[in-house]
Amino acid sequence: MTTLSQLYKQKDKNGTGTTVKKTFMVPTDELYLEEGSNIRPVEQEHAEYMRDCWIDGSDLPPLSVEVTEQGIKIIDGQHRFIGAKLAIAMGHDIPRIECRDFVGTELDKLAHMAKSSQGKPITPLQRAGAYNRARNQGHTSAEIARAFGRSVADVETHLQLLSSGDVLIGMVESGEVAATTAIALSREHGPKAGTVATESLAKAKAAGKKKLTRSAAIPQFSAVKARQFIQSIVDCEDAIVLPPEATVILEEYKAFLKDAGQESGS
């Protein structure tokens, strides 16, 4: 059986377009993690899973690293590294770990961590934190969106989550409120959002629910009934006197109906 290595060595003869992306076997004790640099906090359960992968001899991807004055800093792969350390502590020999150079800007590093297929999915708050770090580095929302492969609206929305207040942020972290609900509450109630959320969550729990849904947090009047009411005003318009503000809305509604009718008939 021909290996990729053999295929590559004979590329002048066989015309393959295969290329080599170098990795390096780095001594485990030369690697280090910089506290607070990763956008994900360390999760012990995931680290222990990686420990078991090392012990079982699973084929793990290389760590992404950069060489610094302190040694070789891990950019991506903290749980793989911690898992290796745990396996070593149990008596398993892991003298070296496969690594590859990370080449890119500080913004690229943040985006790489967020998009890593080996890392646990990041939470909305962790994503918001990564966006905020990028913003503090001086990057615009458009630059951040492009680097992370997301939309500008996604960046702005997550950044707003960080300004929704400690109460709402705590509820999001605990899973009692979805990030989108927290943002909606913040937009609707401003500084009072935390108090409103606390009271609404208490009512939800009293009703046997574990989370505060958006519909419970921000009740909406039936759109169907609202349209029916406006239509009833249109039908008896000549019999009542409307205030100026209502008259403006009524005329806008008539224009809407006219345009909608033209579109459906075209």
Side-chain angles (χ1 to χ4, degrees), residues 227 230-231 234 249-258:
R227 287 195 296 270
I230 296 175
Q231 187 61 55
V234 172
I249 296 173
L250 189 60
E251 292 303 319
E252 290 176 353
Y253 182 69
K254 288 179 179 178
F256 166 76
L257 290 177
K258 181 177 180 181

Side-chain angles (χ1 to χ4, degrees), residues 94 98 122 125 142 146-148 154 158 174 181 188 226 229 242 256:
I94 307 176
E98 186 179 9
I122 60 175
L125 279 170
R146 187 161 49 250
F148 280 75
D154 181 78
H158 279 81
S174 66
T181 300
E188 181 80 10
F229 174 77
L242 297 173
F256 166 76

Side-chain angles (χ1 to χ4, degrees), residues 138-189:
H139 297 287
T140 65
S141 294
E143 291 170 337
I144 298 169
R146 187 161 49 250
F148 280 75
R150 310 281 284 203
S151 67
V152 173
D154 181 78
V155 174
E156 296 291 352
T157 298
H158 279 81
L159 287 173
Q160 187 171 358
L161 176 61
L162 295 180
S163 61
S164 61
D166 292 341
V167 173
L168 278 172
I169 288 175
M171 289 181 176
V172 172
E173 287 181 327
S174 66
E176 294 175 315
V177 175
T180 52
T181 300
I183 293 168
L185 278 165
S186 180
R187 289 173 175 169
E188 181 80 10
H189 300 288

